[in-house]
Amino acid sequence: SDFVLVWETIPWELSRQQGSHKNGDLQETSATIHRTWRKKFLDKLHAAGIRMEKHMTRGEKKVVHYLLLSAPWSVLCYYAEELQLHVPLQALPRQTSNWSASVLRRLGIPNLMAQEVPNLPLDYYTCPFKANKLHWFLGSNQPDTFFSTTQRHQILYEILATTQYGHSKEREVGVDRLLNENVFTAAFPLHEARSAIPRRATPLSQRQVLFQYWASWGKWSKYQPLDHVRKYFGEKVAFYFAWLGFYTGWLLPAAVVGMVVFISGIFLMFNDVPSQEICGSEDQYWMCPLCKTCPYWQLSKICSTFMAGRLFDHGGTIFFSIFMSLWAVLFLEFWKRTNASLAHHWDCSEFEDIEERPRPQFTAMAPMTIINPITGAEEPYFPKRSRLHRILAGSMVIIIMIAVVVMFLVSVILYRAVVAIFLSSSGHFWFVASASRIASITGSVMNLIFILILSKIYISVAHFLTKWEMHRTQTKYEDAFTFKVFAFQFVTFYSSPVYVAFFKGKFVGYPGSYESFLGVRNEECSPGGCFIELAQELLVIMVGKQIINNVQEVAIPKLKCWWRKHKLLSSKKVGKEGESVLVEQAPWVMDHQLLVFEGLFDEYLEMVLQFGFITIFVAACPLAPLFALLNNWVEIRLDAHKFVCDYRRPVAERAQGIGIWFSILEAITHLAIISNAFLIAFTSDFLPRVYYKYVHDSSLQGYVNFTLAYAPWDFVLQSNTTCRYRAFRDQDGNLTLTYWQLLAIRLGFIIVFEHVVFFIGHVIAWLVPDIPESVEVKVKRERYLAKEALAENKVGCGSS
């Protein structure tokens, strides 16, 4: 058996008792409709030739029905041709595709990452299946094993997803709708033998191989067996793990360079002249109050905060920003090459353009048909104009949701300002000195809570809108959904760091003429500067989110599995002792206890948001790549364990790559170059220091006094005290010539930085071809062999 349908019913004696309640008639009516739909659906499946085997477990409160489905050879052949499934034509010699293994072998260095994995899938030349050319294909004399397990799952899911059980106008089509209506409680392919390793010396199943050589924590430093992952879970899952492993490997050099930059910041911190001036100033610099009722304060009190800011704000920051921008460009260029090699190796390099069929849900709901201009086949069609109208309407909903996020952001900003004022005026020295930091940290935590709550709501809305837009293929459907949710997540997760990096402390005014928003005085950067605040913000959101996600990924699946198992086993009626044990150990019962696989979106989203944090704001936190690397080492094994042990087996899906996520990564890379240029120019102290070195004093003696302005005369007369504040203004509150000179230098730096980095990035992209030469040669060779071997068949072939 390949597929399982599950539904639950109430025992007859219990339903009679419930029938006496007020809502009994309503429940009975609903159950009758469900029985009717289920009978029609199963009758249609039977008529389509599907073999069925029924099992049942009887409990005290419910009866669980398991229907095991399998397709006979004739049905498999018909749908394999319909779905254009690729089957083996000729065996190929095994070729290694890991570039690092090849490099280490050439250098004669032992490869500690290599491992011998049993049951290695073979390579084949493949062609789309044709029933009338069956004798051309390898293994055609063995019907039981000719189609792979994943291919049989694909065929059965296609049948289940397109079988009608009611009126097509009412969209009463497919198993997904029946699952939503609770007619069935589950529909899933069966896993292979249990993931635990058998004690006897028996051959390992594919699932056991993955458990031992992939999902095990002891294999954290080994290559992932991607061919095994692809064979068991399909190309879409395999591409995710291939990209995650590739990204994690590329984080290693970034983490090493980031560590070097951070350590150099420690040495620079202790030898920094401005830091020494502040720490030794004692009562030399009296600073203006931070609010109307706040006291004057000494600059020397922020000695430790200012020195901490120097950890992140120094000359190495410029180098690291350029390094990470070019690292991101190189990473994407080399992933393109890896993607092309894997797509060819897994025989899906033409999947999206030629082979991908319409979604079963689209096929069932489309109002008309049209001839496909590429394949020439008749396909269901939804008018582009109608889809465009729906997309525009959905876009308005998305904009409203994003506006709600911005409102929450503004409320967090106001919260910070109010808390900072309240603490500064408390009179307690520690609260006064730490007011800005406490407000910033608590604001970051509040922001994280808002993000997690709003994300759940928005994802549900995005799912509904994307279904309503009627996208033809699964790839286009997922790309549309991904774009919607990423736009929302981008605003929610990055809005707070963007505010701290580019807006906080920039529109403050000066003593006696402070700017305000909604009656609350605009926030200032902490005396140590916004760089240290931004680093703290990144660590709270990035590391906090990673810790929360990893705890969730470990704890929640285990708790859910335990609860499902507990519910199913505790409701068992005590019957024959042997029968009870047999039922509990049945593979379909055990698979039913596992969690539903809900797609790869959350996995990709987590990693792409992380990629944004380590590129867009990397100037403020050189340790970000190190935290990302440590997280990803854990993430790969956590995700692998979830797929092998905690999730029901997903229906294998084909894919040509990582989809729209690659375009999002490219957009983030370009945005990161611009962001880092502005960050260094306007948030960092780097350019004012360089200006002071060349214009005033190369040793930076007197730099602190240079950055502080005197309070305007009218403010001094009101309070009868002279104080300082950080700005380039005269005592009338007007901007000085130094300010305008620095502004020109900053804008010039942005233009030079962007142009240099973009130019080098384009040169790299031009020098690194998207498709490796070896793959191009293989493609040409296959086309030649296809023409030679199958000229009369007119069948396009590839390798797998």
Side-chain angles (χ1 to χ4, degrees):
S1 296
D2 298 309
F3 226 92
V4 185
L5 289 177
V6 185
W7 69 94
E8 296 173 357
T9 55
I10 300 169
W12 181 75
E13 61 272 15
L14 199 64
S15 63
R16 282 188 64 189
Q17 292 172 14
Q18 290 181 352
S20 60
H21 297 302
K22 291 180 181 178
N23 61 347
D25 292 340
L26 191 64
Q27 285 183 349
E28 183 59 36
T29 304
S30 175
T32 303
I33 294 169
H34 285 188
R35 276 197 300 272
T36 306
W37 281 351
R38 190 160 49 237
K39 185 176 185 308
K40 283 184 181 178
F41 186 74
L42 297 180
D43 287 346
K44 289 272 183 81
L45 291 180
H46 191 267
I50 302 300
R51 290 197 288 253
M52 302 179 186
E53 181 186 333
K54 192 172 179 183
H55 295 265
M56 188 170 66
T57 61
R58 186 176 174 82
E60 293 177 4
K61 295 182 179 178
K62 63 185 174 185
V63 179
V64 183
H65 304 263
Y66 298 94
L67 191 66
L68 311 186
L69 307 178
S70 59
W73 173 249
S74 57
V75 174
L76 291 173
C77 288
Y78 174 80
Y79 278 94
E81 189 163 345
E82 183 77 11
L83 296 172
Q84 296 186 333
L85 296 182
H86 281 235
V87 288
L89 187 70
Q90 181 184 338
L92 277 171
R94 175 72 197 164
Q95 297 167 340
T96 55
S97 56
N98 219 307
W99 65 271
S100 58
S102 305
V103 171
L104 291 171
R105 190 167 56 250
R106 285 176 193 167
L107 296 173
I109 300 171
N111 190 355
L112 299 176
M113 296 177 286
Q115 62 173 338
E116 287 293 325
V117 184
N119 304 343
L120 197 64
L122 298 173
D123 275 357
Y124 298 102
Y125 283 129
T126 64
C127 284
F129 179 77
K130 295 280 185 186
N132 60 349
K133 305 293 181 186
L134 181 63
H135 62 280
W136 284 92
F137 301 112
L138 286 180
S140 56
N141 58 341
Q142 297 173 313
D144 291 342
T145 57
F146 179 70
F147 294 107
S148 68
T149 309
T150 51
Q151 286 176 332
R152 294 201 302 272
H153 294 168
Q154 286 172 302
I155 289 168
L156 275 161
Y157 179 71
E158 178 73 16
I159 295 167
L160 291 170
T162 54
T163 298
Q164 191 173 318
Y165 60 87
H167 300 289
S168 57
K169 289 182 181 177
E170 303 277 334
R171 298 182 177 180
E172 293 173 348
V173 179
V175 72
D176 292 323
R177 174 76 188 272
L178 290 170
L179 287 167
N180 290 337
E181 298 284 352
N182 291 320
V183 177
F184 293 110
T185 54
F188 52 89
L190 273 174
H191 267 298
E192 289 185 4
R194 291 192 68 175
S195 53
I197 307 302
R199 292 177 184 176
R200 290 175 293 175
T202 53
L204 298 179
S205 71
Q206 200 72 20
R207 188 184 183 196
Q208 289 166 340
V209 168
L210 289 172
F211 178 77
Q212 184 170 349
Y213 294 92
W214 182 48
S216 168
W217 288 103
K219 303 296 181 181
W220 68 270
S221 62
K222 303 296 183 184
Y223 292 133
Q224 298 182 84
L226 293 174
D227 286 337
H228 292 75
V229 176
R230 177 240 179 175
K231 185 177 179 183
Y232 193 76
F233 291 111
E235 287 82 4
K236 185 169 282 188
V237 171
F239 265 116
Y240 164 70
F241 281 102
W243 176 81
L244 180 56
F246 186 83
Y247 169 48
T248 304
W250 271 72
L251 278 173
L252 189 58
V256 170
V257 175
M259 278 288 290
V260 170
V261 170
F262 181 75
I263 291 166
S264 65
I266 295 173
F267 288 107
L268 290 170
M269 177 180 73
F270 291 111
N271 299 316
D272 184 50
V273 173
S275 298
Q276 292 168 1
E277 284 186 354
I278 286 176
C279 293
S281 63
E282 296 181 354
D283 59 354
Q284 182 181 351
Y285 301 111
W286 280 94
M287 307 299 288
C288 298
L290 295 170
C291 64
K292 285 182 181 178
T293 57
C294 298
Y296 293 86
W297 55 282
Q298 293 175 13
L299 187 61
S300 58
K301 299 296 183 187
I302 60 130
C303 170
S304 56
T305 310
F306 189 85
M307 287 184 73
R310 293 298 297 146
L311 279 172
F312 305 101
D313 189 1
H314 54 85
T317 300
I318 309 294
F319 161 75
F320 194 54
S321 297
I322 296 171
F323 172 83
M324 285 304 293
S325 298
L326 298 179
W327 172 89
V329 172
L330 272 171
F331 163 69
L332 292 180
E333 287 303 317
F334 277 93
W335 168 250
K336 273 189 209 172
R337 292 167 61 82
T338 304
N339 194 112
S341 298
L342 288 173
H344 175 263
H345 176 54
W346 291 339
D347 197 18
C348 50
S349 49
E350 295 180 332
F351 172 69
E352 289 177 19
D353 297 330
I354 297 172
E355 298 170 24
E356 190 169 18
R357 288 170 47 79
R359 296 169 63 234
Q361 295 86 346
F362 177 84
T363 303
M365 298 179 200
M368 62 183 78
T369 57
I370 195 172
I371 301 296
N372 186 311
I374 297 172
T375 62
E378 188 177 2
E379 287 186 352
Y381 178 73
F382 188 79
K384 287 183 179 178
R385 191 179 181 85
S386 301
R387 182 181 294 121
L388 181 63
H389 288 163
R390 292 186 177 194
I391 289 171
L392 289 173
S395 301
M396 294 301 105
V397 176
I398 289 163
I399 290 167
I400 291 167
M401 290 293 291
I402 289 173
V404 170
V405 176
V406 174
M407 286 166 56
F408 274 112
L409 172 65
V410 171
S411 68
V412 170
I413 293 168
L414 291 174
Y415 164 84
R416 280 174 172 161
V418 170
V419 168
I421 291 166
F422 175 75
L423 292 174
S424 297
S425 58
S426 65
H428 191 282
F429 171 74
W430 188 82
F431 282 133
V432 172
S434 308
S436 180
R437 191 159 63 250
I438 293 168
S440 185
I441 291 171
T442 54
S444 298
V445 172
M446 274 186 64
N447 190 48
L448 184 63
I449 293 166
F450 282 146
I451 285 168
L452 296 173
I453 294 169
L454 287 171
S455 295
K456 299 290 183 189
I457 300 167
Y458 184 86
I459 286 170
S460 302
V461 174
H463 263 303
F464 171 78
L465 290 173
T466 312
K467 284 178 186 174
W468 184 55
E469 287 166 5
M470 289 289 288
H471 293 279
R472 177 181 165 271
T473 63
Q474 187 65 22
T475 300
K476 287 181 179 175
Y477 173 87
E478 288 181 1
D479 286 354
F481 174 73
T482 299
F483 179 77
K484 285 183 186 68
V485 180
F486 185 78
F488 173 82
Q489 297 283 11
F490 184 87
V491 173
T492 53
F493 274 97
Y494 294 141
S495 55
S496 187
V498 164
Y499 166 71
V500 174
F502 303 116
F503 298 100
K504 188 176 181 182
K506 303 295 187 294
F507 310 101
V508 177
Y510 54 90
S513 181
Y514 286 113
E515 302 287 340
S516 62
F517 177 72
L518 298 178
V520 177
R521 181 174 149 186
N522 289 352
E523 271 190 298
E524 289 188 60
C525 289
S526 64
C530 272
F531 238 56
I532 184 69
E533 281 193 58
L534 180 58
Q536 165 198 298
E537 185 87 13
L538 290 176
L539 292 173
V540 168
I541 292 180
M542 184 180 165
V543 179
K545 185 174 182 293
Q546 286 180 351
I547 291 170
I548 289 169
N549 280 347
N550 286 334
V551 169
Q552 283 180 337
E553 287 184 31
V554 172
I556 292 178
K558 295 296 179 192
L559 288 171
K560 282 184 175 177
C561 284
W562 174 82
W563 179 244
R564 287 180 66 86
K565 200 170 185 177
H566 175 73
K567 274 194 351 184
L568 285 166
L569 295 179
S570 65
S571 64
K572 295 277 186 296
K573 212 179 218 182
V574 181
K576 293 178 186 176
E577 191 177 340
E579 183 183 327
S580 176
V581 172
L582 182 69
V583 167
E584 286 172 16
Q585 291 183 343
W588 47 88
V589 176
M590 293 173 66
D591 282 8
H592 185 218
Q593 293 164 7
L594 300 177
L595 301 180
V596 179
F597 172 67
E598 294 178 346
L600 290 164
F601 177 80
D602 288 334
E603 317 297 342
Y604 271 119
L605 180 66
E606 182 184 350
M607 290 297 106
V608 172
L609 286 173
Q610 182 199 85
F611 180 82
F613 280 120
I614 68 164
T615 51
I616 295 174
F617 304 107
V618 76
C621 190
L623 289 178
L626 176 66
F627 287 121
L629 176 65
L630 296 174
N631 174 78
N632 290 7
W633 267 332
V634 175
E635 185 74 27
I636 290 174
R637 303 304 154 184
L638 271 182
D639 286 351
H641 192 272
K642 281 193 306 185
F643 273 85
V644 175
C645 302
D646 297 334
Y647 284 155
R648 292 174 191 161
R649 189 173 182 175
V651 178
E653 292 183 67
R654 284 170 64 75
Q656 199 169 322
I658 62 172
I660 200 174
W661 291 111
F662 183 80
S663 301
I664 290 171
L665 290 169
E666 281 189 314
I668 288 173
T669 301
H670 288 110
L671 184 62
I673 296 170
I674 299 165
S675 167
N676 283 309
F678 275 90
L679 205 56
I680 294 163
F682 285 99
T683 309
S684 167
D685 247 5
F686 177 76
L687 291 179
R689 283 172 178 252
V690 171
Y691 173 84
Y692 187 82
K693 268 186 179 180
Y694 283 98
V695 175
H696 297 283
D697 189 336
S698 60
S699 68
L700 288 177
Q701 293 287 343
Y703 175 75
V704 174
N705 187 58
F706 165 74
T707 59
L708 299 176
Y710 285 94
W713 297 116
D714 53 352
F715 183 83
V716 172
L717 290 171
Q718 282 177 14
S719 57
N720 203 25
T721 308
T722 302
C723 62
R724 309 291 292 273
Y725 65 103
R726 190 166 183 179
F728 294 104
R729 292 178 183 269
D730 58 23
Q731 282 205 268
D732 294 322
N734 300 316
L735 295 167
T736 62
L737 180 63
T738 302
Y739 171 84
W740 297 110
Q741 288 173 340
L742 268 172
L743 181 62
I745 291 168
R746 283 169 165 152
L747 295 174
F749 173 82
I750 288 169
I751 293 167
V752 171
F753 183 94
E754 286 181 5
H755 279 67
V756 167
V757 177
F758 274 124
F759 174 74
I760 297 171
H762 284 301
V763 169
I764 290 169
W766 177 68
L767 289 174
V768 180
D770 291 352
I771 300 174
E773 188 180 349
S774 59
V775 172
E776 289 182 338
V777 170
K778 285 178 192 172
V779 170
K780 289 173 183 175
R781 170 74 176 158
E782 284 160 19
R783 284 176 183 164
Y784 170 76
L785 287 173
K787 286 178 182 177
E788 288 288 307
L790 290 173
E792 73 272 17
N793 289 3
K794 296 181 182 178
V795 181
C797 300
S799 70
S800 173

